[in-house]
Amino acid sequence: MSEFSAALRAVPPPFFVRLAALWRQWRAELFGTRLNAALTLGSLAFLAWAVPPVFRWAVLDATWTGTAETCAASDGACWAFIGEKLRFMAFGPYPAELRWQPALATTLLLALVVASCVPRLWGRALPPAWIAAIAAAVLLMAGGITAPSVPTGQWGGMPLTVLLCVAGLAGAFPLAVLLAIGRRSNMLVARVLATGFIEVVRGVPLIAVLYVATLMVPLMLPAGMMMDKLLRTQIAIILFAAAYMAEIIRAGLQSVPAGQYEAARALGLPFWPLMRLVVLPQALRTVIPSFVTLGIGILQDTTLVVVIGVFDFLNAARTAATDPDWLGFYDEAFIFAASVYFLLCFAASRYSLWLERRLQPGG
Amino acid sequence: MTRPGSPGPRGSGIRRALAAWCGDHPGGQVLLLAGVLLLFGWLGSNTVQNMHRFGLRPGFGFLAQPANFEIGQALIEYSSRDTYARAVLVGLLNTLEIAVAGCLLASLLGLVLGVARLAGNRLLSGLVQAYVELIRNTPLLLQLFFWSATVHALPPPRRALAPGAGIFLTNRGVFVPTLGFDSVPDWLAPAFLAAAIVIVGLVLLRRHLTTGLALTLAAVSVATPIGVALAAGLQVSLDVPELDGFNFTGGATLGPEFTTLLVGLVVNFAATNSEIVRSGIVAVPRGQWDAGRALGFCWWRTLRLIVLPQTLRVAIPLLTSSYLNLVKSSSLAVAIGFPDLTSVIGTTANQTGQAVEAILILGGVYLTLNLVISAIMNSANRRLALRV
């Protein structure tokens, strides 16, 4: 008998029964109480008010191909503008015939990031791979092997955004480890310096750090010594990211049980091997999801380099709409840029959630 | 790294205390400190030499010179003949204005959205979730550019959008009505001060008074001066903005840049705050809702009287960091042309060449603001924390 009822339960109910159950559930959720019904109707009214005009602008009345004149003739969005300006938005003022170089560099960096997201590949090969990939990307961007080299003032667009973000995170990592260890050290000078640096950098806006890089640093170098503006920007982003990353790593260090330190000491490990072989691997593993969140933040923060006149992706998209032939298509440019940022950040945040579940003990 | 059980330094008590205070490797620490001081000394001497080369005098003396640049929006009297110090003060006040307005509005909107997310309606919570994802996965600067383009695409004053209540949206800013007072008697301000003192006293004595009595006393102490003043001829008028030629007059104006920055910050941080509110509500145990139900409270009263007060306990530390971020993000004003502190300091540094001093002021002000906000929020946190 019980076998029979178990077999009966294993058979899925017919389609219309499931549909009816779903409908009952939805009806309860959307119209179950008076409040719920009011909220549903309110939301529907909002959608009815907001969606049709946007849909008409973005799809029905939109111009998909053509010139600025055909765009000006219709009320809708001008997606032809995106098609026309795609290359400029992607690469900024980089010389047109050499664009394969930054494209290759970006592919390399993105492949590096994606590979680093696979838990099976986490290991000793990653740090050298990051250094090699970033060095190769910088060399590719600079060019000069087969063609004339490209000054950093002409770098721009998506490759620059990716480079600033990836090299920023990679450069911040060793510094952040030192800062986190220093902040937890019993050595007074190390603790005060690390804490002071972290709190000051976290207390001021990124724009202030960028001002330091663009306005203060040239004044602080000895006469005749120059430093490339993009390099200064990159260092500013590294220092900024390091302060936030140090706090993440500190949280990870605190999560390692004291017994691990004591066991490593009992094995006779000196301080640095103890950190490298026992503590850091455990500490870093728990905070990788926070690293991903920090990476999203830094990717979004790289847009602030607009303020000091560096041509990142957002700046390139905005500048595209100032072309006299295609003047004023700001909404289209911003929506396109927003979609690109959204795709990158949304994917990263989903990955972070997935990783958090996976890294949970027993998950 | 603290090493429990490691053999400590020997010797007298003072020496041991000194050794524990400075930690391991005193020699190495001295070297580290010397290295850092040398680096700063080198940078400092370079700076002084460079400044002399450019004919600049290091120090904050430049603050007393006339600024020679206009500031579009100022809360206090300002003209380009005023000093740099006053210009910096104007920028600071603008930053404070946007920070206070932004934190208040973002908290309110965040509260509404966070509650809406959990109101048990799938459509509404889906809409809020889409909003939060859209905002959090795009850069704030991009959102500000978008709002800037939107504000500048508003119609000119002659064809202003009027959503009602005397508010007008135009490409020259938002015009809102204000209250105007005529023939204010001299004694009104002291009378209000007295009323405020009475109310503070009532709050301090609240344990010894019934709520009804306290409220009545408070109402009387505020209403009496108003009533007497109205009888004595005080005139209160609503100053509604009116179209006069090509622009509005009367009421108060929120400039287009201020509007852009405020809308951008509020929309962005409301998404963050709504997540904070949501996580706070979720952290309140299910039994609290059931207890409210058992007492016969409706959903709204349970939320307001039982759940939200406990939500604050979880939310305040997170809200603190959200407020700190909002204040720091208000520096993005520089990208959309609002004259906040960062923007004024940037102009000052470019005009005078005194970049080091200007940026020291900038950093000092933001660090002070951070400390103040943290102190306020920590005291709120202490009052709300569970006392075990």
Side-chain angles (χ1 to χ4, degrees), chain A residues 17 109 237 335 352:
Chain A
V17 174
L109 290 177
I237 290 178
I335 288 173
S352 164

Side-chain angles (χ1 to χ4, degrees), chain A residues 25-26 29-31 35-37 39-40 43-44 46-47 181 184-191 193 199-208 211-212 215-216 218-225 244 253 261-262 265 271 275 296 299-301 303-307 314-315 318 330-331 333-335 337-339 341-343 345-346 349-350, chain B residues 1-4 20-25 29-30 32-33 36 42-44 46-51 53-54 56 116 119-124 127 129-130 133-142 145-146 149-150 299 325 327-329 331-335 342-343 345-347 349-350 353-356 359-360 362-364 366-367 370:
Chain A
Q25 190 194 340
W26 273 73
E29 270 172 11
L30 294 177
F31 295 97
L35 176 74
N36 243 342
L39 291 177
T40 305
S43 308
L44 284 176
F46 170 76
L47 286 176
I181 291 176
R184 277 170 58 83
S185 160
N186 72 355
M187 288 187 269
L188 182 71
V189 173
R191 195 171 61 234
L193 287 177
E199 291 304 329
V200 166
V201 173
R202 274 161 36 100
V204 298
L206 175 57
I207 295 185
Y211 273 174
V212 171
L215 299 175
M216 241 165 101
L219 212 55
M220 293 178 133
L221 294 176
M225 186 171 156
Y244 287 84
L253 287 176
Y261 292 96
E262 288 158 11
R265 289 237 151 245
F271 181 75
M275 276 291 156
I296 297 174
L299 176 67
Q300 297 190 358
D301 281 343
T303 55
L304 299 199
V305 298
V306 168
V307 173
L314 178 58
N315 205 1
R318 197 170 65 130
Y330 285 106
D331 285 340
F334 291 150
I335 288 173
S339 332
Y341 280 109
F342 183 85
L343 282 181
C345 297
F346 188 74
S349 74
R350 289 295 115 156
Chain B
M1 204 55 47
T2 50
R3 272 180 286 142
W21 178 66
C22 82
D24 293 340
H25 307 298
Q29 291 194 52
V30 170
L32 178 63
L33 188 63
V36 171
W42 181 67
L43 294 176
N46 284 341
T47 310
V48 172
Q49 280 172 18
N50 283 333
M51 288 178 82
R53 209 154 45 88
F54 297 131
L56 296 167
N121 186 297
R122 190 177 278 211
L123 187 60
L124 186 60
L127 278 178
Q129 200 178 351
E133 291 289 348
L134 181 66
I135 295 297
R136 296 183 70 172
N137 287 315
T138 47
L140 174 59
L141 187 62
L142 176 55
F145 282 160
F146 175 79
T150 310
W299 179 82
N325 275 336
V327 172
K328 283 184 275 172
S329 301
S331 63
L332 267 64
V334 80
T342 312
S343 151
I345 290 277
T347 313
N350 275 327
Q354 313 258 7
V356 180
I359 288 169
L360 283 180
L362 183 67
Y366 275 107
L367 290 178
N370 273 356

Side-chain angles (χ1 to χ4, degrees), chain B residues 145-170:
Chain B
F145 282 160
F146 175 79
W147 292 117
S148 179
T150 310
V151 168
H152 285 108
L154 283 172
R158 280 174 167 280
R159 291 181 282 118
L161 294 180
I167 299 172
F168 296 95
L169 308 177
T170 74

Side-chain angles (χ1 to χ4, degrees), chain B residues 70-362:
Chain B
E70 296 287 343
I71 296 182
Q73 184 168 356
L75 289 172
I76 53 175
E77 291 278 317
Y78 174 83
S79 75
S80 59
R81 287 187 306 280
D82 283 319
T83 60
Y84 279 112
R86 197 166 175 85
V88 170
L89 182 65
V90 168
L92 173 62
L93 289 175
N94 281 340
T95 291
L96 289 178
E97 185 189 18
I98 200 88
V100 171
C103 285
L104 283 176
L105 292 176
S107 305
L108 277 179
L109 188 57
L111 179 65
V112 171
L113 290 172
V115 169
R117 178 97 185 258
L118 292 174
N121 186 297
R122 190 177 278 211
L123 187 60
L124 186 60
S125 79
L127 278 178
V128 175
Q129 200 178 351
Y131 163 80
V132 170
E133 291 289 348
L134 181 66
I135 295 297
R136 296 183 70 172
N137 287 315
T138 47
L140 174 59
L141 187 62
L142 176 55
Q143 293 166 24
L144 285 176
F145 282 160
F146 175 79
W147 292 117
S148 179
T150 310
V151 168
H152 285 108
L154 283 172
R158 280 174 167 280
R159 291 181 282 118
L161 294 180
I167 299 172
F168 296 95
L169 308 177
T170 74
N171 59 3
R172 296 208 196 164
V174 174
F175 297 85
V176 292
T178 49
L179 283 178
F181 299 97
D182 278 330
S183 56
V184 182
D186 298 337
W187 48 265
L188 195 60
F192 273 128
L193 192 66
I197 292 171
V198 169
I199 289 174
V200 169
L202 289 174
V203 170
L204 290 178
L205 293 172
R206 66 186 183 282
R207 296 265 159 95
H208 307 288
L209 301 166
T210 59
T211 316
L213 182 64
L215 284 180
T216 316
L217 285 174
V220 167
S221 63
V222 175
T224 316
I226 296 180
V228 175
L230 283 176
L234 171 74
Q235 287 177 349
V236 181
S237 57
L238 198 61
D239 191 6
V240 180
E242 272 176 46
L243 192 62
D244 180 20
F246 288 106
N247 211 344
F248 282 89
T249 55
T253 314
L254 310 177
E257 292 86 16
F258 181 81
T259 312
T260 302
L261 187 60
L262 187 64
V263 170
L265 287 176
V266 167
V267 165
N268 189 287
F269 282 90
T272 316
N273 292 350
S274 84
E275 285 291 283
I276 293 172
V277 170
R278 187 181 74 95
S279 68
I281 292 180
V282 170
V284 174
R286 181 80 223 158
Q288 299 289 321
W289 287 95
D290 298 340
R293 271 282 140 88
L295 290 173
F297 285 4
C298 65
W299 179 82
W300 171 242
R301 274 168 71 89
T302 316
L303 181 74
R304 190 166 60 88
L305 297 173
I306 298 179
V307 176
L308 280 186
Q310 303 186 60
T311 302
L312 272 183
R313 204 169 280 152
V314 180
I316 283 209
L318 298 170
L319 277 180
T320 308
S321 89
S322 157
Y323 291 161
L324 294 176
N325 275 336
L326 191 147
V327 172
K328 283 184 275 172
S329 301
S330 71
S331 63
L332 267 64
V334 80
I336 53 166
F338 179 71
D340 80 324
L341 180 71
T342 312
S343 151
V344 171
I345 290 277
T347 313
T348 306
N350 275 327
Q351 279 195 7
T352 59
Q354 313 258 7
V356 180
E357 294 89 339
I359 288 169
L360 283 180
I361 296 175
L362 183 67

Side-chain angles (χ1 to χ4, degrees), chain A residues 237-314:
Chain A
I237 290 178
I238 287 177
L239 295 179
F240 184 77
Y244 287 84
M245 201 184 268
E247 288 297 89
I248 294 177
I249 295 177
R250 188 163 72 104
L253 287 176
Q254 276 173 358
S255 75
V256 177
Q260 296 290 325
Y261 292 96
E262 288 158 11
R265 289 237 151 245
L267 288 174
L269 282 180
F271 181 75
W272 288 109
L274 172 150
M275 276 291 156
R276 194 168 54 85
L277 298 171
V278 179
V279 176
L280 278 177
Q282 300 182 62
L284 294 179
R285 205 178 157 78
T286 54
V287 294
I288 294 174
S290 308
F291 278 163
V292 179
T293 312
L294 179 72
I296 297 174
I298 296 295
L299 176 67
Q300 297 190 358
D301 281 343
T302 54
T303 55
L304 299 199
V305 298
V306 168
V307 173
I308 53 170
V310 172
F311 251 92
D312 78 321
F313 177 57
L314 178 58

